[in-house]
Amino acid sequence: MALETGIQKLLHTLEQGSPAFWLPRALVVALVVTISAVGLLVQFNGFSVPEAMDQAQIGRQIASGQGYTTLYARPLALFLMLARTGRIGSPLPDASEAPLGPLLNAATLTITGAETKLPKDSFVAPAEHAIATVGFLFFAASLVLCYLLGRRLFDARLALLGVGILIATDILWKFAFSGLPQIPMLFFFSGAMLALVAALEAQDLGRGRKALILTAISALLLGIVSLGNGIVLWMFPGFWIFAVATIRPRWVTALATPCAFALPLLPWAAHNWNALLNPLGLAFYELLRPHGTDPEAFLADFEPLLRFRWGDFIKNTAGQAMTQTSEIASFLGGNIVAAAFFLAVILHTFRSWRTAQFRWAVLLMWAGAFAGMSVFGVRGDVSVDQLHVLFVPVMVFYGLSFLLVMWGRLGFEVPLLRTAFLVALYAAVSVPLVLGLLGKPKRVNWPPYLPPLIERFGEWVEPGEAIASDIP
């Protein structure tokens, strides 16, 4: 009897006391640490995305004191520099990659002192490990902000369940270790969304000045997100429309938000102007790409026909929009909970005014991102222009809320069945992650990218010489 009483007291303490608060959170932390350890120490075999390699070498240039320059000379960039400015800078200024990733890489290399040279019998440089580790740290910090966002929109319980779904989403981990800037962008984007929700709360409580300040902070953070990829510029109109419609006085919001958004972008625009006399950089010329021309081949053209044609523009945009639509599941990482967001927007009425209103902000910004990616294209589910991943966390919270409400309407009162339903959701989302963690790590990335061989080529080249290659 004493034993049974002791067990009952222990269970009651776990359910009602402080362990009920800390135990789930401790399990989440343990899970994140375990997955990251396997990903970094076992599965990681270096960067596989060309833009990640490019941003890493730009970061190396910055860390070595050579400024925002590059050793990757794109023929189109050289042509434009000569045609528009009459000169080619030395070292060569980069006007292709957005600055957030390279700047973070430069800070990482400077702080850690990680070697860019390959150790003997290794295919991964210490610098790659350092950059991937920083990507994981940003991911962990993003999870904290996502939890706070989910708690403000719904409640602590759903926020914790949603964070668990995010941890089980394979594509977030792929981006964390990819060397691409999407996860740092996710960190700042989550901060921007959190500030915008707080602004809605302040507006609802009649604290207009606080609401304006928080909205301006949200716009500023969204501007920092734009430093990771220029397509984020397409998200700002949706943000602006929502902010002006909900935060008063509207004329102040209408003026303050563009100014706050543009502030972080001014140095980048000035750099692009100095390099190409175009504040939007090399990416702008994607609008002039003839239909049927591969984007990489277009960048490799020394004598491009730079003429805007509506027919080519419409065909390119329509084709890239169709690609996005057909592959939206892979862009969301196969996350059925995130996909349920679209059903929640159409079919569900949320009780909270703040939560009901904020879904339109998400939808408007996502529509802008979709339009931008249709114009400039997305090369794969893990690629530098893939911005659907930024919306996965907030979509998960709305989708999970919708699915739990739909489950409740089925009338099943047995708690065990509800737990089984949640387990099924987690299982469906986590299949790609589990298969990836349990799979045999690849020795090298495909196409055959052999870092020791590439490094040897670099030793053959003298200052002032160049290698023509179809890989970075």
Side-chain angles (χ1 to χ4, degrees):
M1 184 65 70
L3 179 60
E4 293 177 0
T5 302
I7 293 174
Q8 289 176 357
K9 287 183 177 180
L10 176 61
L11 292 175
H12 179 76
T13 301
L14 289 174
E15 292 175 356
Q16 304 297 331
S18 59
F21 176 84
W22 290 111
L23 186 58
R25 289 156 179 81
L27 291 175
V28 167
V29 172
L31 185 62
V32 170
V33 171
T34 301
I35 296 175
S36 65
V38 174
L40 278 171
L41 302 178
V42 179
Q43 295 290 338
F44 184 68
N45 64 341
F47 299 150
S48 60
V49 182
E51 290 81 3
M53 303 175 196
D54 192 17
Q55 294 191 12
Q57 65 90 13
I58 296 171
R60 181 183 59 193
Q61 292 288 98
I62 299 171
S64 63
Q66 300 184 66
Y68 201 84
T69 60
T70 182
L71 296 178
Y72 182 14
R74 294 170 174 83
L76 179 60
L78 299 178
F79 169 82
L80 290 169
M81 287 177 186
L82 281 175
R84 295 180 65 83
T85 69
R87 69 183 191 281
I88 296 178
S90 180
L92 183 66
D94 182 83
S96 177
E97 299 293 343
L100 181 63
L103 290 174
L104 290 174
N105 292 343
T108 299
L109 297 178
T110 301
I111 294 171
T112 63
E115 279 288 335
T116 57
K117 296 288 186 181
L118 291 172
K120 187 177 180 181
D121 300 326
S122 175
F123 279 32
V124 181
E128 287 179 288
H129 270 295
I131 292 171
T133 302
V134 170
F136 159 70
L137 294 177
F138 267 104
F139 181 46
S142 298
L143 291 176
V144 175
L145 291 181
C146 290
Y147 170 78
L148 297 175
L149 177 62
R151 191 176 65 177
R152 276 188 178 270
L153 287 172
F154 298 97
D155 55 52
R157 186 178 183 85
L158 187 137
L160 195 60
L161 290 172
V163 167
I165 294 287
L166 297 179
I167 294 171
T169 302
D170 183 50
I171 198 167
L172 294 175
W173 289 100
K174 285 182 176 179
F175 270 112
F177 299 141
S178 69
L180 293 172
Q182 262 74 357
I183 295 302
M185 291 168 67
L186 176 61
F187 172 78
F188 292 108
F189 183 69
S190 300
M193 296 301 95
L194 188 60
L196 186 57
V197 173
L200 289 178
E201 289 181 359
Q203 184 70 53
D204 194 31
L205 295 173
R207 300 173 180 172
R209 184 176 180 181
K210 181 179 179 181
L212 284 170
I213 293 173
L214 287 169
T215 305
I217 291 173
S218 181
L220 178 69
L221 290 172
L222 193 61
I224 295 175
V225 178
S226 300
L227 295 177
N229 193 299
I231 295 177
V232 178
L233 293 169
W234 290 72
M235 292 162 52
F236 180 72
F239 172 90
W240 185 84
I241 291 170
F242 178 80
V244 172
T246 55
I247 305 299
R248 294 181 294 274
R250 288 173 178 160
W251 70 271
V252 177
T253 303
L255 294 175
T257 48
C259 294
F261 177 77
L263 189 61
L265 301 176
L266 294 177
W268 181 25
H271 170 81
N272 288 335
W273 181 264
N274 289 332
L276 296 177
L277 293 183
N278 185 332
L280 299 179
L282 196 62
F284 167 81
Y285 296 93
E286 168 66 20
L287 301 176
L288 311 182
R289 178 172 61 86
H291 178 64
T293 304
D294 182 85
E296 292 297 328
F298 182 60
L299 293 175
D301 194 343
F302 270 112
E303 297 180 343
L305 183 62
L306 298 179
R307 184 182 303 166
F308 181 80
R309 292 186 175 92
W310 276 108
D312 289 337
F313 174 76
I314 292 172
K315 289 176 183 177
N316 287 339
T317 302
Q320 288 162 170
M322 289 296 295
T323 299
Q324 278 193 88
T325 304
S326 63
E327 298 181 13
I328 189 65
S330 65
F331 290 146
L332 295 176
N335 193 317
I336 60 173
V337 180
F341 163 80
F342 298 102
L343 295 176
V345 169
I346 299 171
L347 302 177
H348 190 54
T349 301
F350 294 92
R351 294 179 181 177
S352 168
W353 173 85
R354 179 178 65 250
T355 304
Q357 291 294 317
F358 189 71
R359 62 178 166 170
W360 301 116
V362 177
L363 186 63
L364 284 170
M365 284 187 282
W366 176 82
F370 184 93
M373 286 182 280
S374 296
V375 170
F376 292 96
V378 184
R379 298 191 182 100
D381 56 347
V382 181
S383 59
V384 72
D385 293 327
Q386 209 276 71
L387 299 186
H388 295 286
V389 69
L390 300 181
F391 295 89
V392 168
V394 69
M395 286 182 171
V396 161
F397 292 129
Y398 276 96
L400 183 58
S401 173
F402 172 74
L403 292 174
L404 290 177
V405 169
M406 292 299 102
W407 175 262
R409 290 179 181 176
L410 294 177
F412 296 117
E413 301 294 338
V414 182
L416 185 60
L417 290 178
R418 185 175 184 274
T419 302
F421 175 65
L422 287 171
V423 170
L425 289 179
Y426 274 89
V429 170
S430 63
V431 167
L433 177 64
V434 173
L435 293 178
L437 292 175
L438 297 180
K440 184 179 179 180
K442 295 185 295 183
R443 176 69 169 165
V444 295
N445 291 305
W446 185 265
Y449 178 74
L450 300 173
L453 186 59
I454 301 298
E455 189 174 62
R456 179 64 62 86
F457 288 158
E459 296 173 356
W460 296 347
V461 180
E462 299 293 333
E465 296 180 336
I467 295 178
S469 171
D470 59 354
I471 60 174

